Amino acid sequence: MAPAPNEVGIVSVQRACHNRLLAALPPADFARLQPHLMTVPLRIGEVLMAPGTPIRHVLFVEDGILSVIATASDDRQIELALIGREGLVGLPVLMGTDRSVHEGRVQASGYAWCLEADAMREILGTSPDLHAFLLRYAYSVTVQIAGTALANTRYKVDQRLARWLLMCHDRTTGDELPTTHRFLSLMLGINRPGLTTALSVFEQAGMIRTERGTITIRDRAALLAKAGACYGGPEGEYERLLVEGRPVSR
C-alpha cells in the first residue's frame, strides 16, 4: 500500500533533518513532533538555557555547537558537555523538571528545530518508546560529563585539548571550528599561556591551523593519537545507546 500524501511529506522532512535524534525516530514518533517544530537561529554567545530559569523550549540542534557550563558561586566556570547535531538542549524537561542548574550557551552558530517544552511533555506522555529513546540520549550526556571529569583530572593538557578538538570536529560540517583562546581556556579550565603553548605545538606538528577566531583541523588521525584513551568512550556509548538501540516502529 502506498503511503498517504501527508505521510510522504513527513518522511521527506525527516530525511532532510541533520539532527541524529530526529533522523533516527520511527516516522510515527517524528509525526508527533513535526507539527510543533520550527527552526530558530543559534547565535554565538546566546544563552539558551539559563541556570534556575524555567525552560520554555526544547531544541534539536541541526547545525552549530552548544556548551553546557557549570558555574560556581564565585563565578568560576567549566564546560561539562558539548551538544551538536547528535543531541538536544533541554534535558531537564525529559527528566520531569522544568529548569537546570547549568547554562547552555551557543559556541558555534547554526540553527535548531525548536518546540515548546509543554508540547514536548505532552508528546512524551503519549509515546513511552519516544520518551525511553530520548532518556537514553540523556544518559549518554551523563557519560560524556563523566568523561570530561576524568579528562580534567587524569589527563595532560595536550590530551584534553585534542579530545575537545575532536569532539567539536564531530559536531561540525567541515574542518573549521569557530572559537577563541579566551573561550577555550575557560571551557577547558586551562590558563591562557598553557593553552597557547599547546595550540602552538599542535600547529607546528601539522595537526591544526589557528587563525583569529578559528581553528582548522588538518590531521584528525594525529589528534586521535594524541588524545589516546581520553577520547572515544562516550562516543562509543552514544552509538550503542542511540544507533544500535534506536526505536522501532510499532
Side-chain angles (χ1 to χ4, degrees):
M1 180 182 295
N6 63 327
E7 292 175 341
V8 172
I10 290 169
V11 169
S12 65
V13 172
Q14 185 178 14
R15 286 177 177 170
C17 287
H18 300 295
N19 183 273
R20 294 184 67 187
L21 297 177
L22 292 179
L25 293 178
D29 279 330
F30 184 81
R32 290 183 173 93
L33 296 170
Q34 195 267 337
H36 304 277
L37 296 173
M38 60 181 178
T39 57
V40 296
L42 303 177
R43 301 179 179 88
I44 291 179
E46 183 179 8
V47 175
L48 298 178
M49 185 172 67
T53 301
I55 297 170
R56 304 299 184 193
H57 299 90
V58 174
L59 296 99
F60 292 86
V61 179
E62 280 281 288
D63 183 39
I65 303 175
L66 289 95
S67 294
V68 179
I69 301 165
T71 305
S73 58
D74 61 0
D75 291 331
R76 297 188 189 191
Q77 295 183 319
I78 192 74
E79 182 179 70
L80 301 176
L82 288 173
I83 298 174
R85 58 193 171 193
E86 86 297 338
L88 63 83
V89 181
L91 288 181
V93 174
L94 307 181
M95 295 182 282
T97 186
D98 69 341
R99 63 197 68 197
S100 173
V101 297
H102 302 131
E103 178 182 294
R105 187 192 308 170
V106 179
Q107 179 191 131
S109 62
Y111 68 102
W113 289 106
C114 173
L115 74 162
E116 292 184 357
D118 286 343
M120 174 60 94
R121 293 186 187 96
E122 184 175 344
I123 292 166
L124 294 177
T126 67
S127 178
D129 288 344
L130 172 62
H131 198 180
F133 177 68
L134 295 179
L135 284 177
R136 289 203 295 276
Y137 168 67
Y139 175 68
S140 79
V141 176
T142 71
V143 175
Q144 185 191 151
I145 292 171
T148 298
L150 181 63
N152 288 347
T153 55
R154 290 292 184 265
Y155 289 88
K156 297 178 180 178
V157 167
D158 57 347
Q159 293 172 297
R160 291 161 58 191
L161 175 59
R163 172 183 183 263
W164 190 89
L165 291 171
L166 288 165
M167 290 173 65
C168 286
H169 196 216
D170 291 341
R171 293 162 173 81
T172 303
T173 302
D175 297 324
E176 291 188 356
L177 313 177
T179 191
T180 64
H181 285 204
R182 177 182 177 279
F183 183 77
L184 184 48
S185 66
L186 179 67
M187 293 300 96
L188 289 175
I190 301 171
N191 60 47
R192 290 282 292 277
L195 174 64
T196 299
T197 298
L199 287 170
S200 178
V201 170
F202 281 22
E203 187 159 26
Q204 290 173 18
M207 290 187 278
I208 63 171
R209 182 175 67 250
T210 61
E211 298 174 302
R212 185 175 180 85
T214 304
I215 296 174
T216 302
I217 305 300
R218 298 183 61 194
D219 190 342
R220 182 179 172 92
L223 287 173
L224 285 166
K226 177 64 69 175
C230 190
Y231 169 85
E235 288 72 25
E237 188 68 353
Y238 178 96
E239 296 297 320
R240 183 186 75 83
L241 291 166
L242 297 153
V243 178
E244 299 172 22
R246 64 188 296 176
V248 296
S249 298
R250 292 183 182 275

